[in-house]
Amino acid sequence: MDARSTWEYEDDVHHYNCNALSKDDRNTVLFVYGSVAILSILCCGLALVAVITKRLYKKVIYRLAIYQVTVALFESFALVLNFTLIDYNEERVYFQVSCKTTAFIDQFLILTNLLFISWLTFHLFAFIVFFKDLKRLEWLYISSSVLIPLLVACIPFITDSYGVAGAWCYITSLKHVDNCTTRPDVVGITEQFTLYYGPAAFLFTVNMIAIVVMTVTMACRTWTHKAYMDGEPHPEESNQYAKALKQILPLVAYPIIHFVLFLAAFSNRIYTAKEGSAAFGFTVAHAATQSLRGFFDGLSLIVHIAMSVKKGSLRSRSLGAKTDHNNATYGSVTAYTSGAVTTFTLPNETDVDDNLSPCINK
C-alpha cells in the first residue's frame, strides 16, 4: 500500500484501482481513535480527582486548567463513540443520523478546546509580561469558549456538510465517484479550513509567539539576578521569580502540546484536500494525536499539581521569616500560581511599577 492507500477492487464486470481507504483501513483507524481516547479519559479523570482532593479549584489559574481538562474529557468520550462506526453501512438511515451527530459534537468540542487553550495563553501572557490580574474575565473565557463553538458547529448542518471524512465523521472533504474512488469536496474543504483549521493555525501561531515572549521575559528577570523597584535592586525577589518560573512552566505546556498534536491533523487535512484521497499513514497519525490531547492535558495538570504541592510543603516549613516587601510582584506570581501560603500578595493593577523589568531598564 503506497502513500495514497491505493488498493484493488473488482466485481463481476469491472476492475478498479481505488484511492479511498479500504474497509480494513477504516476499521484500524477507528480502533486507534477510540482506544487511545479511553487512555485519555482515564488520565483526565485522575487529574480532576486530584484537583478536587487538593481543593485547588479555588485558584483561578487552576480553574482555567480544569476547564481545559474537562473539555478534553468530554472530547475523549465523544471520540470513543467512533467504535460504533466500525463496519458501518453508509446507506442505513441510523448511520446518517449517528454520523452527523458525532461530527457536530466533535466540531463543537475541538473548537471549545482551542478557545480555552488560547484564553489560558492570553491570561498567562497578561500576568507574566504586564503583571495584569485578569481573573475578572473568567466569565468571558467560559461564555465565549462555549457559545462561539456552538454557533459555528451549526453551520455545516445548514450546508449539509457533516458526514464521513476519511475514516470517521466530521465535515466531509471527499466525495465518492464510485464504489472506491473519491474526489475533493470543495464546499466541505472550504468549511474545514474556514471553521476550524484556518483559525486554529492562526491562534496556535499567536500562542507560540506569546510563549516565546513569556519565556524570554521570565528568563531575563530570573537570570539577571536583579529585580528593580524604584531604582533599587532586590536580588531576593529574583529568587522568588525563579521559583515562579517553575510553577508557570506546566501551564505553558498546554498550548505547546496542543500545537504539536495539531500538526498531524493539519497535515492530514492539507494532504487530503490536495490529493483528493485519504492517506492511511496520515489518517492514523491524525486519529492518534487527536485522541492523545486529553491524555497530555490530564498529565500536564497532574504534574502541575505535584509540583505545587511539593513547593507548598517546602515553603510552609520556612514561613517563620517575614519579608518587608508584602506586595512584591515577583513573589505574587508564586502565590498566584502555587496555591501555597506565602507572605506575598498580588498587587493591584494600578500599583504595578513600570520599572519592574530589568531587561528594559538595565
Side-chain angles (χ1 to χ4, degrees), residues 29-39 76 79-80 82-83 291:
V29 171
L30 292 173
F31 180 79
V32 171
Y33 215 37
S35 57
V36 176
I38 293 176
L39 180 63
S76 299
L79 296 181
V80 171
N82 285 281
F83 276 130
S291 300

Side-chain angles (χ1 to χ4, degrees), residues 219-239:
C220 182
R221 291 167 182 162
T222 301
W223 294 340
T224 54
H225 298 290
K226 295 178 182 179
Y228 283 81
M229 184 172 290
D230 297 327
E232 296 296 328
H234 299 281
E236 68 280 3
E237 293 172 11
S238 181
N239 294 332

Side-chain angles (χ1 to χ4, degrees), residues 52-72:
I52 295 173
T53 302
K54 298 297 181 181
R55 297 185 178 182
L56 298 176
Y57 49 81
K58 297 181 180 180
K59 299 292 183 179
V60 64
I61 202 67
Y62 281 102
R63 289 201 296 273
L64 292 178
I66 290 170
Y67 301 148
Q68 182 65 47
V69 173
T70 302
V71 172

Side-chain angles (χ1 to χ4, degrees), residues 88-120:
Y88 59 78
N89 185 344
E90 294 186 44
E91 300 301 323
R92 297 183 179 179
V93 177
Y94 78 85
F95 170 79
Q96 296 296 330
V97 175
S98 175
C99 184
K100 291 180 183 296
T101 302
T102 302
F104 169 79
I105 295 173
D106 187 25
Q107 174 70 357
F108 168 70
L109 290 176
I110 61 176
L111 281 171
T112 302
N113 197 309
L114 173 65
L115 288 181
F116 270 126
I117 278 289
S118 300
W119 281 126
L120 175 62

Side-chain angles (χ1 to χ4, degrees), residues 290-313:
Q290 182 167 337
S291 300
L292 279 171
R293 283 202 295 243
F295 172 79
F296 284 111
D297 279 346
L299 183 62
S300 296
L301 183 55
I302 291 172
V303 171
H304 191 193
I305 293 171
M307 291 180 64
S308 297
V309 170
K310 181 179 179 180
K311 293 294 181 182
S313 176

Side-chain angles (χ1 to χ4, degrees), residues 98-168:
S98 175
C99 184
K100 291 180 183 296
T101 302
T102 302
F104 169 79
I105 295 173
D106 187 25
Q107 174 70 357
F108 168 70
L109 290 176
I110 61 176
L111 281 171
T112 302
N113 197 309
L114 173 65
L115 288 181
F116 270 126
I117 278 289
S118 300
W119 281 126
L120 175 62
T121 306
F122 169 77
H123 192 87
L124 291 173
F125 184 84
F127 191 83
I128 294 172
V129 178
F130 299 107
F131 305 104
K132 296 292 184 180
D133 178 14
L134 302 180
K135 60 184 178 182
R136 65 185 182 278
L137 297 181
E138 185 178 359
W139 66 271
L140 175 63
Y141 301 160
I142 298 173
S143 59
S144 62
S145 297
V146 173
L147 295 178
I148 293 176
L150 186 61
L151 293 175
V152 172
C154 291
I155 295 177
F157 273 129
I158 299 174
T159 58
D160 194 27
S161 296
Y162 282 134
V164 178
W168 58 87

